[in-house]
Amino acid sequence: MKTRSVIFLLSLLAFLATPTLRADPPATQPVAIEQKLAGRIDDLSLKGLTVQQVFLAIQDKTRLNIIVDWSGLEQASNIDLKRTLHGRLAGLTVGGAIQLTLTEAGVDAPTKMEIGDRAVTIAMPDSHKVEVRVYKIDMLLASWKSTFPATRPSKDVDPSETSNFGDMLIKAIEDSVDSESWRDAGGTEGSIQVIGDRIIITQTVTSFVKIEKFLHDLENPRAK
């Protein structure tokens, strides 16, 4: 009897001394989806594809579940679901590729991207809402001499108004996107400030769709 007790005690001590292996808790679905949206698409040709086919291709490449309110987009924008697109998606984040594809398909109103537990949902938000967004412009600062001339102000503009790159970029955006909405032009919604390699913009959600397309075209002149 004593022998059995000793054996049991030794077995119990051995069990307690054995390290317990604990698996790291799995990442939550929203975090995993955000990581996929932040990932990059190396190269995807849009030639001959409709916007819906492009979204299917993005899903195949990224294994990201994307739900789009196509009916709402058709009612609130000029999207053409039958129109075939051109160009390529290269070097963009997945989120950026989604937004650019919608813009190229004719979506001239802002879209809202919601990250859920298992999917990304794209629908129409309140287009008149005013937001503040910050963009990095370090790439433009590094290469503005070769990418910016096409949108420089005319020679008739007072040089003091465009004394540096930041002033020129601000003027180009305000002249190109909803020009009457900027506070500098007497509007009540838009304002821009450049600080270092960041540009801080206050505008409506609708205008941000055009601003982001404008900045993308400046950074990627060959993709126009």
Side-chain angles (χ1 to χ4, degrees), residues 28-93:
T28 61
Q29 287 289 347
V31 172
I33 291 175
E34 287 179 359
Q35 291 174 344
K36 288 184 177 181
L37 287 171
R40 292 195 172 272
I41 292 181
D42 294 331
D43 188 27
L44 176 62
S45 174
L46 307 183
K47 186 176 181 179
L49 299 180
T50 65
V51 61
Q52 290 174 309
Q53 291 172 332
V54 172
F55 270 75
L56 289 175
I58 291 175
Q59 290 187 90
D60 288 341
K61 273 183 170 288
T62 63
R63 302 301 178 188
L64 180 64
N65 188 18
I66 305 173
I67 301 172
V68 184
D69 178 13
W70 296 115
S71 176
L73 291 180
E74 282 188 296
Q75 293 176 11
S77 71
N78 291 321
I79 190 171
D80 183 354
L81 299 181
K82 297 180 180 180
R83 172 187 169 191
T84 56
L85 307 181
H86 303 281
R88 313 186 76 85
L89 298 176
L92 297 172
T93 63

Side-chain angles (χ1 to χ4, degrees), residues 4-20:
R4 290 183 179 179
S5 298
V6 171
I7 293 174
F8 174 79
L9 181 60
L10 291 174
S11 300
L12 179 60
L13 291 173
F15 174 79
L16 293 175
T18 302
T20 303

Side-chain angles (χ1 to χ4, degrees), residues 134-153:
V134 181
Y135 301 92
K136 288 191 67 175
I137 55 171
D138 50 335
M139 291 179 62
L140 285 175
L141 285 170
S143 60
W144 74 277
K145 288 184 179 180
S146 60
T147 60
F148 204 71
T151 54
R152 286 186 181 180

